[in-house]
Each structure stands twice: as structure tokens, then as C-alpha cells.
Amino acid sequence: MECVFGLVGKGFALVVADTSAVHSILLHKTNEDKIMVLDSHKLMGASGEAGDRAQFTEYIQKNVALYQFRNGIPLTTAAAANFTRGELATALRKNPYSVNILLAGYDKETGPSLYYIDYISTLHKVDKAAFGYGSYFSLSMMDRHYHSDMSLEEAVDLVDKCIIEIRSRLVIAPPNFVIKIVDQDGAREHAWRESIKDAPISAA
Amino acid sequence: MLFLCICDAFMLSVRKIVNLDDHIALACTGLKADARVLINRARIECQSHRLTVEDPTDPSGTFSAWKANATGRNSNSMREFLEKNYKEPSGQETVKLAICALLEVVESGGKNIEVAVMTKEHGLWQLDEAGIDAIVAEIEAEKAAAEAAKKGPPKET
């Protein structure tokens, strides 16, 4: 029931992910961060097999860092997306990674961008995208309300609309979400949307 | 693997000081061609270490073997100089001491000297030629003043 979605606005891109770590019928934790900060201006939101998710995104993050040390300049978002797709493709017929990825980045020359990369190495450059059962609701809401060059306020409002739809319509909806943003000032956490906080430990 | 070579308009010579990671730098002397192979291996090893060990390396857990050292041509005389003059410097004094040591064996001038400073707050940053020349001028002025003082006072009869 993992939900990851994202969209591009005016001068920024947002990636939103649920924060539940689930194993079969058990919810381990409600504050699992599934959006990795690849470098100063890139975000990678991932959904899928928990082990693959952590392993693959960390592997990409370290390779992005290695490129920067070797060459003195960072990768562009497009280059990072194509590199990621290449790694998924290479592993596909041997040890495939079950991870779906939304890669958002900001480049000085080309502005914000969002890439859809699914577990069988499909790569698309998009304005809005979503993975998981939640995509049925968030894609519909975005198709209805999205327009290009949305302001941050409008975009976060649309994100909230999507989260409300997911919470009200998805049978086992994740309770909490995290919203991360990438713009010219870099990649960072923007907000959380929590409907459940971990219960405080009661005194003996 | 495609190797990309990037020429920075401001870099006129092969760099001898490079970043291996955010908190590790490497200075090299000798065959540059061999050095770049080893630097590449070291960079890969840094990221590989981060990937496997996961947590950022605590600097206090690694060997900080030397307070001062020298390598390459004339390293013996530089090491001697450092042994004589190292007095736990901090901040700008450290930079001055390093340049002083280099001046013992190298022609003075920013063109022949590369200085990189690593701090916790700012990571690795390199001094520009003007900055190095300024410190060299300061050192030479101090040396001249010391020489004058030596020749000056004994005039008592």
C-alpha cells in the first residue's frame, strides 16, 4: 500500500511519500523516510521491496558522490536518471531490484525536472507521476487540478488534496506522509502530514 | 568506463592536492600518472566504505598519525624545520608555518606553492595565488626584520 507521488512546479519539484514500514500485516514504524537526498539538488523517492529500496538508493547515492569527486562537478538530473535506469536494466535479467523510483532534481541551466523510473527500467521525464495503489487517486487528482508553473502554495495544496483522497479511499491507507522539495536552494524536507504520532511511553 | 577530463580555466597545472571525500584530502608527489590511478581507487574505496559501514566515519576513530610531516624531494630538510618550529599552531599560524617550511626548499612565489586547508566547518578549501603571495610577503618581512634586529643592537661600547 506504498504511495509515492511527485510533481513539478514553477522553479521547484515536490516528491511525496508515505512513511510506513510494513511487513505482511505488521506496521513496524510510521516515520520511515523513503525519499533519499542524492546530493545537494536531487531527491529520489522510492517504493517497493524494503531491502532493495534501501540498498539500491544508497548505491545510487554513493555513485553520484563518486562522480562528483572524480570530475569536480555534479551530475545533471537527466544524467543521474539515465545512470539509475542503466543500473536497473543491468540487474534486470539476473538479480532484479523491485524498486520504483521518482527522481526529482534542480539544474541551474534547465530548472526543475522529474523522472519516472519503474522496476523494469522504464524511464520517462514527466511533470507529475505516482506509484502504488495510491496512484489511482493521486494521478486522478493531479490530472484534474495540475497545471504547469504552479506556485509552491498551489502545489502543496494539490498534494494535500491527493493525501486526503488516499486517506479516505484506500482501504489500508498509510497514516503519515513526508513532503520533500528541491529548488535552486537545494533539496530538503518541506513538511510532514501526520495523522498518527507514536504513542508516548507511559510512566511506570 | 568513460573517463571525463575537465579543464578548469583557472587551473594551469596538474593539481597535487585532491579531495577523496568530504573529510579526506590527499597530497601527492612523484609520478602523476600513477597517482591518478591510486586516487581513483581511493575515492571508490571511500564511497564503498560509506556504503558498507553505513554510518559516517568518526574522525576520532581513524589514525591521526602525524601533527606535522613532509614528503617528496627535500622532505628531510622540511621535516627537520617542522620538528624545530612546530609549536601547536592554530588557525592562520598553521598556514604560515606550512608555507615557511615550503619556502626552505622552494623558490618563493604563489606560482610554485599550492595550499589546501581542511576544517570541520568548511571542508577542504584551497588558497588562491594572491592569498599565498600575501602570506609569503609577510614571512619575508618578518625574516628581514629578524635579520635587521640581529645586526642592529650590538653597538654598546
mmCIF file of all heavy atoms in Angstrom, chain A residues 55 58-59 61-63 65-67 69-73, chain B residues 1 4 6 19-22 40 43-44 47 50-51 54:
data_model
loop_
_atom_site.group_PDB
_atom_site.id
_atom_site.type_symbol
_atom_site.label_atom_id
_atom_site.label_comp_id
_atom_site.label_asym_id
_atom_site.label_seq_id
_atom_site.Cartn_x
_atom_site.Cartn_y
_atom_site.Cartn_z
ATOM 1 N N GLN A 55 18.972 -0.488 -0.230
ATOM 2 C CA GLN A 55 20.225 -0.875 -0.885
ATOM 3 C C GLN A 55 20.441 -0.119 -2.187
ATOM 4 O O GLN A 55 21.495 0.451 -2.437
ATOM 5 C CB GLN A 55 20.180 -2.391 -1.158
ATOM 6 C CG GLN A 55 21.280 -2.921 -2.033
ATOM 7 C CD GLN A 55 22.600 -3.030 -1.307
ATOM 8 O OE1 GLN A 55 22.723 -2.573 -0.189
ATOM 9 N NE2 GLN A 55 23.570 -3.639 -1.940
ATOM 10 N N GLU A 58 20.850 3.811 -1.799
ATOM 11 C CA GLU A 58 22.166 4.150 -1.239
ATOM 12 C C GLU A 58 23.265 3.930 -2.264
ATOM 13 O O GLU A 58 24.197 4.731 -2.373
ATOM 14 C CB GLU A 58 22.453 3.307 0.007
ATOM 15 C CG GLU A 58 21.707 3.775 1.240
ATOM 16 C CD GLU A 58 21.925 2.887 2.447
ATOM 17 O OE1 GLU A 58 22.848 2.050 2.403
ATOM 18 O OE2 GLU A 58 21.171 3.031 3.405
ATOM 19 N N TYR A 59 23.158 2.851 -3.044
ATOM 20 C CA TYR A 59 24.147 2.564 -4.086
ATOM 21 C C TYR A 59 24.200 3.705 -5.103
ATOM 22 O O TYR A 59 25.274 4.173 -5.492
ATOM 23 C CB TYR A 59 23.770 1.242 -4.766
ATOM 24 C CG TYR A 59 24.600 0.881 -5.959
ATOM 25 C CD1 TYR A 59 25.918 0.471 -5.817
ATOM 26 C CD2 TYR A 59 24.064 0.923 -7.244
ATOM 27 C CE1 TYR A 59 26.683 0.130 -6.920
ATOM 28 C CE2 TYR A 59 24.826 0.577 -8.341
ATOM 29 C CZ TYR A 59 26.131 0.187 -8.177
ATOM 30 O OH TYR A 59 26.880 -0.145 -9.280
ATOM 31 N N GLN A 61 23.228 6.784 -4.575
ATOM 32 C CA GLN A 61 23.727 7.985 -3.891
ATOM 33 C C GLN A 61 25.253 7.985 -3.839
ATOM 34 O O GLN A 61 25.899 9.003 -4.113
ATOM 35 C CB GLN A 61 23.160 8.014 -2.474
ATOM 36 C CG GLN A 61 23.480 9.280 -1.712
ATOM 37 C CD GLN A 61 23.198 9.113 -0.242
ATOM 38 O OE1 GLN A 61 23.663 8.162 0.379
ATOM 39 N NE2 GLN A 61 22.425 10.019 0.323
ATOM 40 N N LYS A 62 25.854 6.841 -3.516
ATOM 41 C CA LYS A 62 27.318 6.781 -3.426
ATOM 42 C C LYS A 62 27.964 6.955 -4.793
ATOM 43 O O LYS A 62 29.022 7.583 -4.920
ATOM 44 C CB LYS A 62 27.800 5.468 -2.808
ATOM 45 C CG LYS A 62 27.289 5.161 -1.410
ATOM 46 C CD LYS A 62 27.338 6.326 -0.459
ATOM 47 C CE LYS A 62 26.762 5.974 0.879
ATOM 48 N NZ LYS A 62 26.083 7.096 1.544
ATOM 49 N N ASN A 63 27.338 6.421 -5.842
ATOM 50 C CA ASN A 63 27.900 6.586 -7.177
ATOM 51 C C ASN A 63 27.779 8.019 -7.670
ATOM 52 O O ASN A 63 28.657 8.514 -8.382
ATOM 53 C CB ASN A 63 27.221 5.630 -8.167
ATOM 54 C CG ASN A 63 27.897 4.275 -8.180
ATOM 55 O OD1 ASN A 63 28.957 4.126 -8.779
ATOM 56 N ND2 ASN A 63 27.318 3.312 -7.515
ATOM 57 N N ALA A 65 27.930 10.580 -5.670
ATOM 58 C CA ALA A 65 29.003 11.270 -4.943
ATOM 59 C C ALA A 65 30.361 10.985 -5.581
ATOM 60 O O ALA A 65 31.191 11.897 -5.740
ATOM 61 C CB ALA A 65 29.007 10.820 -3.485
ATOM 62 N N LEU A 66 30.609 9.733 -5.966
ATOM 63 C CA LEU A 66 31.881 9.355 -6.588
ATOM 64 C C LEU A 66 32.124 10.142 -7.865
ATOM 65 O O LEU A 66 33.215 10.636 -8.122
ATOM 66 C CB LEU A 66 31.883 7.843 -6.888
ATOM 67 C CG LEU A 66 33.168 7.271 -7.490
ATOM 68 C CD1 LEU A 66 34.325 7.425 -6.539
ATOM 69 C CD2 LEU A 66 32.977 5.817 -7.865
ATOM 70 N N TYR A 67 31.068 10.287 -8.689
ATOM 71 C CA TYR A 67 31.191 11.049 -9.931
ATOM 72 C C TYR A 67 31.646 12.463 -9.624
ATOM 73 O O TYR A 67 32.521 13.010 -10.293
ATOM 74 C CB TYR A 67 29.848 11.089 -10.662
ATOM 75 C CG TYR A 67 29.895 11.848 -11.966
ATOM 76 C CD1 TYR A 67 30.082 11.195 -13.174
ATOM 77 C CD2 TYR A 67 29.744 13.235 -11.993
ATOM 78 C CE1 TYR A 67 30.130 11.882 -14.367
ATOM 79 C CE2 TYR A 67 29.801 13.937 -13.180
ATOM 80 C CZ TYR A 67 29.985 13.253 -14.361
ATOM 81 O OH TYR A 67 30.049 13.957 -15.539
ATOM 82 N N PHE A 69 33.337 13.593 -7.019
ATOM 83 C CA PHE A 69 34.738 13.658 -6.584
ATOM 84 C C PHE A 69 35.681 13.456 -7.750
ATOM 85 O O PHE A 69 36.710 14.102 -7.854
ATOM 86 C CB PHE A 69 35.018 12.613 -5.505
ATOM 87 C CG PHE A 69 34.548 13.033 -4.149
ATOM 88 C CD1 PHE A 69 33.507 12.387 -3.525
ATOM 89 C CD2 PHE A 69 35.147 14.101 -3.501
ATOM 90 C CE1 PHE A 69 33.049 12.796 -2.289
ATOM 91 C CE2 PHE A 69 34.701 14.516 -2.254
ATOM 92 C CZ PHE A 69 33.647 13.854 -1.640
ATOM 93 N N ARG A 70 35.314 12.528 -8.659
ATOM 94 C CA ARG A 70 36.195 12.248 -9.794
ATOM 95 C C ARG A 70 36.271 13.417 -10.754
ATOM 96 O O ARG A 70 37.306 13.699 -11.326
ATOM 97 C CB ARG A 70 35.651 11.055 -10.570
ATOM 98 C CG ARG A 70 36.061 9.728 -10.045
ATOM 99 C CD ARG A 70 35.491 8.676 -10.943
ATOM 100 N NE ARG A 70 35.982 7.371 -10.606
ATOM 101 C CZ ARG A 70 35.314 6.262 -10.820
ATOM 102 N NH1 ARG A 70 34.119 6.315 -11.368
ATOM 103 N NH2 ARG A 70 35.830 5.096 -10.502
ATOM 104 N N ASN A 71 35.155 14.072 -10.996
ATOM 105 C CA ASN A 71 35.080 15.040 -12.088
ATOM 106 C C ASN A 71 34.972 16.487 -11.649
ATOM 107 O O ASN A 71 35.000 17.374 -12.484
ATOM 108 C CB ASN A 71 33.900 14.692 -12.996
ATOM 109 C CG ASN A 71 34.062 13.321 -13.600
ATOM 110 O OD1 ASN A 71 34.922 13.104 -14.430
ATOM 111 N ND2 ASN A 71 33.258 12.382 -13.150
ATOM 112 N N GLY A 72 34.804 16.725 -10.352
ATOM 113 C CA GLY A 72 34.771 18.100 -9.862
ATOM 114 C C GLY A 72 33.463 18.824 -10.096
ATOM 115 O O GLY A 72 33.289 19.941 -9.658
ATOM 116 N N ILE A 73 32.538 18.224 -10.836
ATOM 117 C CA ILE A 73 31.215 18.837 -10.992
ATOM 118 C C ILE A 73 30.141 17.764 -10.770
ATOM 119 O O ILE A 73 30.381 16.591 -11.011
ATOM 120 C CB ILE A 73 30.992 19.464 -12.397
ATOM 121 C CG1 ILE A 73 31.235 18.446 -13.510
ATOM 122 C CG2 ILE A 73 31.866 20.670 -12.583
ATOM 123 C CD1 ILE A 73 30.754 18.921 -14.859
ATOM 124 N N MET B 1 34.692 1.970 -18.940
ATOM 125 C CA MET B 1 34.247 3.154 -18.207
ATOM 126 C C MET B 1 34.769 4.401 -18.887
ATOM 127 O O MET B 1 35.934 4.469 -19.210
ATOM 128 C CB MET B 1 34.767 3.058 -16.771
ATOM 129 C CG MET B 1 34.072 4.028 -15.852
ATOM 130 S SD MET B 1 34.991 4.241 -14.338
ATOM 131 C CE MET B 1 36.301 5.269 -14.901
ATOM 132 N N LEU B 4 36.152 11.147 -17.894
ATOM 133 C CA LEU B 4 35.982 12.520 -18.344
ATOM 134 C C LEU B 4 37.069 13.402 -17.792
ATOM 135 O O LEU B 4 37.341 13.372 -16.609
ATOM 136 C CB LEU B 4 34.633 13.068 -17.880
ATOM 137 C CG LEU B 4 33.405 12.448 -18.541
ATOM 138 C CD1 LEU B 4 32.166 12.966 -17.872
ATOM 139 C CD2 LEU B 4 33.383 12.806 -20.014
ATOM 140 N N ILE B 6 38.183 17.253 -17.176
ATOM 141 C CA ILE B 6 37.611 18.575 -17.206
ATOM 142 C C ILE B 6 38.688 19.609 -16.989
ATOM 143 O O ILE B 6 39.418 19.545 -16.021
ATOM 144 C CB ILE B 6 36.532 18.713 -16.118
ATOM 145 C CG1 ILE B 6 35.405 17.751 -16.453
ATOM 146 C CG2 ILE B 6 36.019 20.125 -16.068
ATOM 147 C CD1 ILE B 6 34.364 17.688 -15.420
ATOM 148 N N ASN B 19 40.569 16.082 -3.307
ATOM 149 C CA ASN B 19 39.573 15.592 -2.354
ATOM 150 C C ASN B 19 39.338 14.116 -2.572
ATOM 151 O O ASN B 19 39.107 13.703 -3.702
ATOM 152 C CB ASN B 19 38.237 16.292 -2.620
ATOM 153 C CG ASN B 19 37.897 17.267 -1.558
ATOM 154 O OD1 ASN B 19 38.332 17.150 -0.436
ATOM 155 N ND2 ASN B 19 37.111 18.253 -1.916
ATOM 156 N N LEU B 20 39.382 13.311 -1.511
ATOM 157 C CA LEU B 20 38.982 11.923 -1.649
ATOM 158 C C LEU B 20 37.546 11.752 -1.191
ATOM 159 O O LEU B 20 36.806 10.932 -1.693
ATOM 160 C CB LEU B 20 39.887 11.001 -0.817
ATOM 161 C CG LEU B 20 41.342 10.904 -1.261
ATOM 162 C CD1 LEU B 20 42.060 9.876 -0.414
ATOM 163 C CD2 LEU B 20 41.444 10.510 -2.728
ATOM 164 N N ASP B 21 37.182 12.557 -0.190
ATOM 165 C CA ASP B 21 35.833 12.523 0.365
ATOM 166 C C ASP B 21 35.609 13.884 0.999
ATOM 167 O O ASP B 21 36.495 14.731 0.957
ATOM 168 C CB ASP B 21 35.727 11.398 1.407
ATOM 169 C CG ASP B 21 34.288 10.948 1.615
ATOM 170 O OD1 ASP B 21 33.366 11.742 1.327
ATOM 171 O OD2 ASP B 21 34.077 9.809 2.055
ATOM 172 N N ASP B 22 34.431 14.104 1.615
ATOM 173 C CA ASP B 22 34.170 15.407 2.227
ATOM 174 C C ASP B 22 35.173 15.738 3.316
ATOM 175 O O ASP B 22 35.409 16.908 3.605
ATOM 176 C CB ASP B 22 32.770 15.409 2.866
ATOM 177 C CG ASP B 22 31.696 15.208 1.828
ATOM 178 O OD1 ASP B 22 31.866 15.739 0.718
ATOM 179 O OD2 ASP B 22 30.709 14.535 2.119
ATOM 180 N N ASN B 40 41.911 7.419 -7.823
ATOM 181 C CA ASN B 40 40.623 6.862 -8.254
ATOM 182 C C ASN B 40 40.228 5.678 -7.372
ATOM 183 O O ASN B 40 39.085 5.577 -6.905
ATOM 184 C CB ASN B 40 40.712 6.438 -9.724
ATOM 185 C CG ASN B 40 39.362 6.046 -10.279
ATOM 186 O OD1 ASN B 40 38.377 6.724 -10.056
ATOM 187 N ND2 ASN B 40 39.319 4.935 -10.997
ATOM 188 N N ARG B 43 39.144 6.927 -3.976
ATOM 189 C CA ARG B 43 37.811 7.540 -3.996
ATOM 190 C C ARG B 43 36.726 6.474 -3.996
ATOM 191 O O ARG B 43 35.713 6.579 -3.304
ATOM 192 C CB ARG B 43 37.654 8.446 -5.216
ATOM 193 C CG ARG B 43 38.336 9.779 -5.033
ATOM 194 C CD ARG B 43 38.364 10.576 -6.309
ATOM 195 N NE ARG B 43 38.810 11.930 -6.057
ATOM 196 C CZ ARG B 43 39.291 12.734 -6.993
ATOM 197 N NH1 ARG B 43 39.376 12.315 -8.241
ATOM 198 N NH2 ARG B 43 39.670 13.956 -6.691
ATOM 199 N N ILE B 44 36.942 5.426 -4.815
ATOM 200 C CA ILE B 44 35.972 4.326 -4.850
ATOM 201 C C ILE B 44 35.892 3.675 -3.476
ATOM 202 O O ILE B 44 34.804 3.382 -2.967
ATOM 203 C CB ILE B 44 36.371 3.267 -5.908
ATOM 204 C CG1 ILE B 44 36.258 3.871 -7.309
ATOM 205 C CG2 ILE B 44 35.490 2.037 -5.807
ATOM 206 C CD1 ILE B 44 36.805 2.983 -8.398
ATOM 207 N N GLN B 47 33.736 5.682 -0.968
ATOM 208 C CA GLN B 47 32.287 5.514 -1.147
ATOM 209 C C GLN B 47 31.869 4.104 -0.767
ATOM 210 O O GLN B 47 30.803 3.900 -0.170
ATOM 211 C CB GLN B 47 31.878 5.821 -2.590
ATOM 212 C CG GLN B 47 32.097 7.272 -2.998
ATOM 213 C CD GLN B 47 31.424 8.251 -2.067
ATOM 214 O OE1 GLN B 47 30.275 8.106 -1.702
ATOM 215 N NE2 GLN B 47 32.173 9.262 -1.644
ATOM 216 N N ARG B 50 31.579 3.915 2.907
ATOM 217 C CA ARG B 50 30.335 4.545 3.356
ATOM 218 C C ARG B 50 29.150 3.614 3.128
ATOM 219 O O ARG B 50 28.243 3.534 3.950
ATOM 220 C CB ARG B 50 30.106 5.839 2.592
ATOM 221 C CG ARG B 50 30.871 7.031 3.117
ATOM 222 C CD ARG B 50 30.450 8.278 2.338
ATOM 223 N NE ARG B 50 31.223 9.437 2.679
ATOM 224 C CZ ARG B 50 30.874 10.325 3.618
ATOM 225 N NH1 ARG B 50 29.769 10.153 4.298
ATOM 226 N NH2 ARG B 50 31.641 11.364 3.856
ATOM 227 N N LEU B 51 29.177 2.923 2.000
ATOM 228 C CA LEU B 51 28.050 2.075 1.636
ATOM 229 C C LEU B 51 27.951 0.868 2.569
ATOM 230 O O LEU B 51 26.878 0.502 3.018
ATOM 231 C CB LEU B 51 28.220 1.606 0.190
ATOM 232 C CG LEU B 51 27.006 1.011 -0.523
ATOM 233 C CD1 LEU B 51 25.861 1.979 -0.530
ATOM 234 C CD2 LEU B 51 27.395 0.652 -1.941
ATOM 235 N N GLU B 54 27.950 2.164 6.524
ATOM 236 C CA GLU B 54 26.718 2.938 6.692
ATOM 237 C C GLU B 54 26.912 4.249 7.462
ATOM 238 O O GLU B 54 26.617 5.313 7.000
ATOM 239 C CB GLU B 54 25.633 2.112 7.392
ATOM 240 C CG GLU B 54 24.237 2.650 7.184
ATOM 241 C CD GLU B 54 23.371 1.691 6.377
ATOM 242 O OE1 GLU B 54 23.837 0.609 6.026
ATOM 243 O OE2 GLU B 54 22.231 2.036 6.091
#
